[in-house]
């Protein structure tokens, strides 16, 4: 006769009871003096642990959970390899790069490909980054003008729910705020593999009744490619500001120049046949140059009853981009490389006034905006 015995593994709660029983039994087996010392020992005080979080809260302020703000401390904790990556602090946003580092980034939001920002409105202190009728892509935002260490916060809105954001905001919008004054001066000197080198100096001394913020960045990178990118970038920012959040003004100048070669996408069959490896190039002449120079002035006044903001801006931008997506498909003799050129001046003004009032027990904001 065969007898089968079934055993059950103790549950978590049974394990806890068992451990407690073992502990009690162990104490009973100890000498009386040791047991007394164990039970009467003073508690051990651990070192204090301070957990810091962002102090500002948007509860009751933000219209939806799809909008928010990211502060400088959060940006400081991130590794940023290109300026556009400051936007990866926005939940759901992914920033990539192709055809050389001097081009605008490729944007993805909530799994949707937004190309070079066609559906994602970007601005720096209210000055638009997206450019209509651009030579490479509608809504192209040139964020290479940005020095990440000078960003104070990133304000974002996701979705089609914000009519005030206007053109290019069908998937969302983001406004990048720069510091008026830095917490401290910044000096950075970096170097690494693949020809990576970066130098940055920024400071914000007092100047008369206001503050002068300035920053200069020099950058070079080859990347891991057989044909080096040779990406050279020069960035400069200068701002003079007076006042505070309730009343004040600022004048900001920004400049960027970039020159690069590009290892573009390659055909899979060329890789399979050993014509080129995954870090090689089928056309080493691809690449480009780009520059953007801007000047912006802003004035604001806020009190308990209203808020007013006026701004005007102008910038010059140009791009020469040489790309070759199909190589010798359309022109077997000369190749398919093409040249995209962009050269424009852009100027704009924007004014807004908001009244804070109530309707019954409900707080109301009424805003009028004029922009051109």
């Amino acid at each position: 006769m065969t007898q089968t015995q079934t055993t059950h593994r103790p549950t978590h709660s049974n394990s806890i009871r068992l451990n407690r029983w073992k502990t009690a039994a162990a104490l009973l087996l100890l000498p009386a003096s040791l047991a007394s010392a164990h039970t009467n020992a003073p508690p051990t005080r651990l070192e204090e642990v301070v957990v810091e979080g962002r102090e500002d809260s948007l509860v009751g302020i933000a219209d939806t959970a799809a909008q928010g703000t990211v502060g400088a401390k959060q940006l400081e904790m991130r590794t940023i390899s290109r300026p556009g990556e400051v936007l990866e602090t926005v939940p759901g946003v992914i920033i990539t790069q192709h055809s050389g580092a001097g081009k605008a980034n490729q944007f993805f939001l909530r799994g949707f490909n937004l190309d070079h920002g066609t559906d994602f409105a970007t601005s720096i202190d209210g000055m638009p980054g997206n450019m209509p009728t651009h030579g490479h892509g509608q809504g192209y935002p040139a964020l290479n003008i940005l020095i990440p260490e000078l960003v104070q916060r990133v304000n974002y809105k996701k979705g089609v729910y914000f009519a005030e954001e206007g053109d290019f905001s069908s998937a969302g919008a983001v406004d990048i705020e720069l510091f008026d004054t830095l917490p401290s001066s910044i000096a950075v000197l970096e170097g690494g593999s693949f020809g990576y080198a970066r130098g940055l100096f920024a400071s914000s001394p007092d100047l008369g009744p206001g503050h002068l913020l300035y920053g200069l960045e020099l950058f070079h990178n080859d990347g891991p490619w057989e044909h080096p990118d040779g990406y050279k970038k020069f960035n400069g920012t200068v701002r003079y500001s007076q006042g505070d959040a309730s009343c004040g003004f600022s004048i900001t100048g920004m400049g960027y120049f970039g020159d690069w070669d590009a290892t573009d996408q390659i055909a899979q069959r060329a890789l399979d046949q050993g014509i080129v490896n995954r870090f090689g190039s089928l056309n080493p002449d691809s690449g480009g140059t780009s520059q953007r120079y801007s000047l912006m002035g802003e004035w604001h006044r806020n009190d308990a009853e209203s808020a007013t903001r006026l701004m005007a801006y102008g910038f010059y931008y140009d791009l020469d981009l040489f790309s070759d997506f199909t190589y010798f498909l359309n022109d077997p003799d000369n190749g398919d490389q093409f040249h995209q050129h962009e050269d424009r001046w852009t100027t704009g003004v924007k004014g807004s006034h908001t009244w804070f009032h109530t309707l019954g027990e409900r707080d109301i904001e009424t805003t009028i905006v004029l922009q051109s």
Side-chain angles (χ1 to χ4, degrees):
M1 174 172 128
T2 302
Q3 182 177 2
T4 303
Q5 182 178 4
T6 303
T7 60
H8 296 280
R9 188 174 182 177
T11 62
H12 182 64
S13 58
N14 288 338
S15 299
I16 294 174
R17 294 193 192 98
L18 183 61
N19 290 335
R20 288 175 178 169
W21 181 84
K22 288 181 179 178
T23 302
L27 288 175
L28 290 175
L29 294 175
L30 287 173
S33 59
L34 293 179
S36 175
H38 181 84
T39 55
N40 296 327
T44 301
R45 181 176 296 275
L46 301 178
E47 293 183 5
E48 184 180 43
V49 177
V50 179
V51 179
E52 296 182 357
R54 203 171 68 220
E55 296 180 359
D56 52 339
S57 172
L58 296 179
V59 176
I61 299 175
D63 296 324
T64 74
Q67 66 182 111
T69 183
V70 178
K73 283 292 185 183
Q74 290 170 279
L75 293 171
E76 187 180 338
M77 299 300 175
R78 298 182 66 92
T79 299
I80 297 176
S81 60
R82 43 188 174 260
E85 287 182 1
V86 299
L87 302 187
E88 285 197 331
T89 55
V90 177
V93 171
I94 297 175
I95 303 295
T96 65
Q97 188 71 48
H98 75 101
S99 300
K103 285 180 60 179
N105 298 120
Q106 198 86 8
F107 291 77
F108 298 83
L109 175 58
R110 291 172 167 173
F112 288 92
N113 185 350
L114 308 181
D115 194 47
H116 290 292
T118 305
D119 305 294
F120 195 56
T122 63
S123 59
I124 301 175
D125 282 324
M127 179 176 63
N130 306 77
M131 288 179 283
T133 64
H134 187 270
H136 181 71
Q138 175 81 346
Y140 187 100
L143 291 180
N144 286 315
I145 197 172
L146 198 63
I147 299 177
E149 285 85 352
L150 302 188
V151 177
Q152 181 177 26
R153 67 173 58 234
V154 176
N155 303 312
Y156 64 86
K157 301 175 182 178
K158 295 182 289 185
V160 296
Y161 320 112
F162 308 96
E164 68 272 18
E165 298 301 333
D167 203 5
F168 306 118
S169 65
S170 56
V174 62
D175 183 54
I176 302 168
E177 291 185 20
L178 302 180
F179 278 104
D180 286 333
T181 58
L182 295 171
S184 61
S185 297
I186 303 171
V188 174
L189 187 61
E190 301 173 336
S193 54
F194 307 119
Y196 174 83
R198 180 175 184 252
L200 167 68
F201 182 77
S203 187
S204 55
D206 294 339
L207 182 63
H211 304 278
L212 179 67
L213 169 73
Y214 62 89
L216 176 65
E217 178 188 26
L218 306 177
F219 182 90
H220 179 272
N221 194 26
D222 288 329
W225 320 109
E226 281 189 350
H227 181 65
D229 277 356
Y231 179 41
K232 298 179 289 293
K233 180 177 75 166
F234 306 92
N235 270 20
T237 297
V238 59
R239 161 176 287 184
Y240 180 74
S241 61
Q242 287 187 20
D244 53 25
S246 61
C247 185
F249 73 90
S250 65
I251 300 174
T252 306
M254 304 177 71
Y256 158 74
F257 173 82
D259 179 270
W260 69 97
D261 294 328
T263 297
D264 222 321
Q265 55 269 1
I266 56 177
Q268 180 66 49
R269 63 183 182 275
L271 189 63
D272 295 339
Q273 296 172 16
I275 298 173
V276 65
N277 66 39
R278 62 190 298 255
F279 295 105
S281 174
L282 291 173
N283 189 341
D285 293 330
S286 294
T289 61
S290 179
Q291 54 187 332
R292 174 168 172 156
Y293 307 99
S294 65
L295 182 64
M296 172 179 58
E298 178 267 350
W299 175 86
H300 61 272
R301 181 184 60 80
N302 307 315
D303 55 35
E305 298 180 352
S306 64
T308 304
R309 188 184 189 201
L310 303 174
M311 65 172 299
Y313 60 86
F315 62 83
Y316 170 77
Y317 174 85
D318 75 27
L319 169 72
D320 285 290
L321 184 64
F322 297 88
S323 303
D324 195 348
F325 301 145
T326 53
Y327 300 103
F328 292 93
L329 177 66
N330 299 319
D331 189 341
D333 297 323
N334 302 309
D336 300 341
Q337 187 186 70
F338 58 94
H339 174 207
Q340 293 173 310
H341 178 66
E342 175 74 19
D343 187 350
R344 74 171 63 242
W345 285 90
T346 300
T347 57
V349 294
K350 182 177 180 179
S352 66
H353 185 75
T354 300
W355 291 271
F356 306 121
H357 51 102
T358 59
L359 183 62
E361 297 182 352
R362 186 180 295 272
D363 292 329
I364 301 292
E365 293 182 12
T366 302
T367 303
I368 59 171
V369 180
L370 175 66
Q371 60 181 348
S372 176

